[in-house]
Every structure is written in structure tokens, then in C-alpha cells.
Amino acid sequence: MGGGAQFTTTAEAAGSAGKVNENLIGIDEVQRCLNRSRASVYRYTNTDPRNLNPPFNPRKLNPEYRSDQKEALLFHPNEVARFARDVLRIKEVTVEVLNSPSTATQQLLSSILDELRSIRNLLSEAEGRPTSLESRRDQHEQARPAA
């Protein structure tokens, strides 16, 4: 029980659970990380058949929010590390989350972000200059003779 625990998650582990958040880990991975049986991991977990998302319990392993009882239990690596350190008294706990390879969606979002940044730069540069509407109005007022 006094050994260290190493938590490494990958997109494949979260992807197999069908979640968008790639940093969450499932029961199987928690079982490997804690070196405990599947049944004991379920005993540690903060679940309640009457309440889908029970309040945080510092003595239990708290899963992430679920919208349906049939959804798989998923855990944040920091929560697993906290549980291992504070409840199981594992001395050395390391949390390591590996970044997943870039997906087409991430690449698209990155290009949108770059485009928005360039638009922001152009707008901030143009703030000091009069807009074409302002300059036309000024020219029009100067062309009219004063009454």
C-alpha cells in the first residue's frame, strides 16, 4: 500500500469512454492506477442509486458530472490523485496527462482563433484612425458653406 501511483491518461482511453473531455479516465484505468480490484474501486466511488450526482465527499472517489445513469463513471486524474493521497495514504502520487494528437476539430478551432486574433489586431490598429464614414462626414461639412 505504501508504493507510488502513476496516472497517465491518453485520448484513446477517454475516447473509448465516449467523452469529449480527453483528460478524464474510466474505471479500468483507475483500477490500474490504484492497483485495486474493480469491486474495491466501485466501493470507493461516491455514487448513490437515488442521486445521479451526489455532493462531493472527501472520503470517497468523486466521479465527474453525469447527465444519465447509464453513462460510464469517469474521473479527473487530479481527483484520483487526491483520493490516493488523502484517503488511501499513498505517499508518492504523480499525475501525468498526455496531450492527444491534434484532431481536425482542434486544427479548425486553432485557425479560427488565429483569424480572430488578426481581426483584433487590425481593429486595435484602426482605433486611432478615423473611419471612412467619419472622414466623409467631415469632408461633406467642410464643402457646405456656412449659413
Side-chain angles (χ1 to χ4, degrees):
M1 193 194 266
Q6 179 80 21
F7 306 103
T8 305
T9 64
T10 60
E12 292 77 37
S16 65
K19 279 295 185 182
V20 175
N21 189 340
E22 296 169 351
N23 295 333
L24 300 181
I25 59 177
I27 285 283
D28 294 333
E29 205 161 319
V30 172
Q31 178 186 344
R32 284 191 295 273
C33 293
L34 298 178
N35 197 23
R36 299 290 195 271
S37 71
R38 188 178 187 89
S40 66
V41 171
Y42 276 113
R43 276 194 305 271
Y44 297 148
T45 303
N46 183 19
T47 58
D48 182 353
R50 297 173 307 267
N51 185 355
L52 184 61
N53 295 298
F56 179 83
N57 182 341
R59 302 295 305 155
K60 295 277 194 171
L61 179 60
N62 296 282
E64 289 296 304
Y65 177 83
R66 295 186 300 162
S67 57
D68 185 12
Q69 194 76 27
K70 293 178 181 156
E71 285 182 30
L73 290 171
L74 293 175
F75 303 88
H76 194 280
N78 289 342
E79 171 61 14
V80 178
R82 181 207 61 84
F83 179 78
R85 185 182 58 248
D86 298 348
V87 178
L88 297 180
R89 303 283 189 237
I90 297 174
K91 301 257 186 274
E92 296 176 31
V93 177
T94 305
V95 176
E96 181 182 353
V97 178
L98 303 176
N99 290 331
S100 64
S102 184
T103 65
T105 303
Q106 289 171 327
Q107 291 170 352
L108 178 63
L109 289 172
S110 179
S111 65
I112 291 171
L113 181 60
D114 290 340
E115 185 71 22
L116 288 171
R117 284 181 178 147
S118 66
I119 291 169
R120 176 191 278 168
N121 288 339
L122 289 172
L123 288 173
S124 64
E125 289 172 5
E127 268 182 5
R129 289 186 258 143
T131 63
S132 61
L133 181 60
E134 288 173 347
S135 60
R136 283 186 188 172
R137 184 177 43 193
D138 292 342
Q139 289 172 355
H140 182 23
E141 286 177 2
Q142 290 173 357
R144 276 192 341 202

